[in-house]
Amino acid sequence: MLEFAILGLLHESPMHGYELRKELAAKLGSIRAAISYGSLYPTLRRLQSAGYITEAGETPPTTPEVPVLTSKRGRVVYKITAEGKERFADLIAQAGPETYDDAGFGIHFAFFARTDQATRLRILEGRRRKVEERRESMRDVLARAGERLDAYTLELQRHGLDACEREVRWLEELIVNERSGRAPEPRSAGSGTAETSPHVQDERP
């Protein structure tokens, strides 16, 4: 997941380590909890070893965008190579079960603007099936064990079920848009927040 996100960002422009971390947080939004930033620099080294990225110098310590105490490795500028672009093209074209999971779906959705329509549709439909299965499982739990659950556990189960139902509606709207060739309509700040990234709520215990 982190490899895909890093290559996607560097495909847009070269970045130093600190900027990469900041852009990952902005790009991934509420799903950034699924990313371990402790693995950022090990992943960068692995991508370098594979020939997917290369160093393109170092940002001076006086650069305003970089905090003064940023380490030397945080100032190293990275850029994607031709091999890295090919690798990113392979990753962004994937639409298997790994793209239906919460984190996998979130990462791919963040780069949907650069994904072809057929792949976007396969991922959305696969994600919908997965969430529908989760929803039915929760309904089954509530039907069979609802009377044995305490009020708070019951409320938590209902909250999870509500989140699943919201996400299914959101995904169905996106699927209709994809089939008709329309992009999602922009939402104003503070509106529709729960439904623009509902898959995150599903992971709460």
Side-chain angles (χ1 to χ4, degrees):
M1 292 186 297
L2 191 53
E3 173 187 342
F4 176 47
I6 289 172
L7 291 176
L9 289 173
L10 293 181
H11 203 295
E12 298 171 1
S13 67
M15 296 183 190
H16 52 71
Y18 175 80
E19 187 180 10
L20 264 173
R21 179 167 181 164
K22 186 172 67 173
E23 288 299 314
L24 281 168
K27 186 78 169 177
L28 304 182
S30 52
I31 65 166
R32 61 184 178 270
I35 294 293
S36 169
Y37 290 114
S39 356
L40 175 59
Y41 291 104
T43 303
L44 287 170
R45 288 195 297 271
R46 190 174 69 251
L47 290 172
Q48 275 187 278
S49 298
Y52 297 146
I53 65 173
T54 185
E55 292 184 10
E58 183 179 318
T59 304
T62 54
T63 303
E65 293 81 10
V66 182
V68 177
L69 297 179
T70 300
S71 64
K72 182 177 179 179
R73 70 175 184 175
R75 298 195 305 270
V76 173
V77 177
Y78 301 92
K79 67 178 182 179
I80 195 168
T81 63
E83 292 81 2
K85 290 179 181 179
E86 290 179 3
R87 173 62 174 163
F88 178 70
D90 290 340
L91 292 172
I92 205 170
Q94 293 179 2
E98 70 279 0
T99 66
Y100 311 154
D101 293 333
D102 292 351
F105 174 74
I107 295 287
H108 277 266
F109 193 82
F111 291 96
F112 257 24
R114 306 184 64 175
T115 307
D116 67 83
Q117 183 185 23
T119 301
R120 290 197 302 261
L121 192 54
R122 286 198 299 273
I123 292 174
L124 289 170
E125 291 174 337
R127 175 64 182 178
R128 181 179 61 181
R129 288 193 300 272
K130 188 170 189 66
V131 179
E132 285 175 337
E133 290 171 1
R134 182 182 298 170
R135 180 188 63 186
E136 294 311 307
S137 176
M138 287 185 171
R139 285 176 175 171
D140 185 55
V141 168
L142 285 171
R144 289 187 296 103
E147 295 181 356
R148 299 197 303 271
L149 299 176
D150 64 77
Y152 293 100
T153 303
L154 185 60
E155 188 61 27
L156 190 59
Q157 291 293 324
R158 286 173 176 164
H159 173 71
L161 179 58
D162 288 344
C164 286
E165 291 174 340
R166 286 196 303 272
E167 184 170 358
V168 168
R169 291 195 299 269
W170 175 68
L171 289 165
E172 287 175 343
E173 179 183 339
L174 290 171
I175 289 169
V176 169
N177 287 340
E178 286 296 334
R179 287 174 176 164
S180 61
R182 297 195 308 268
E185 294 183 5
R187 300 174 188 265
S188 59
S191 68
T193 305
E195 294 197 25
T196 46
S197 57
H199 52 282
V200 181
Q201 296 184 23
D202 298 348
E203 286 300 295
R204 292 175 184 172

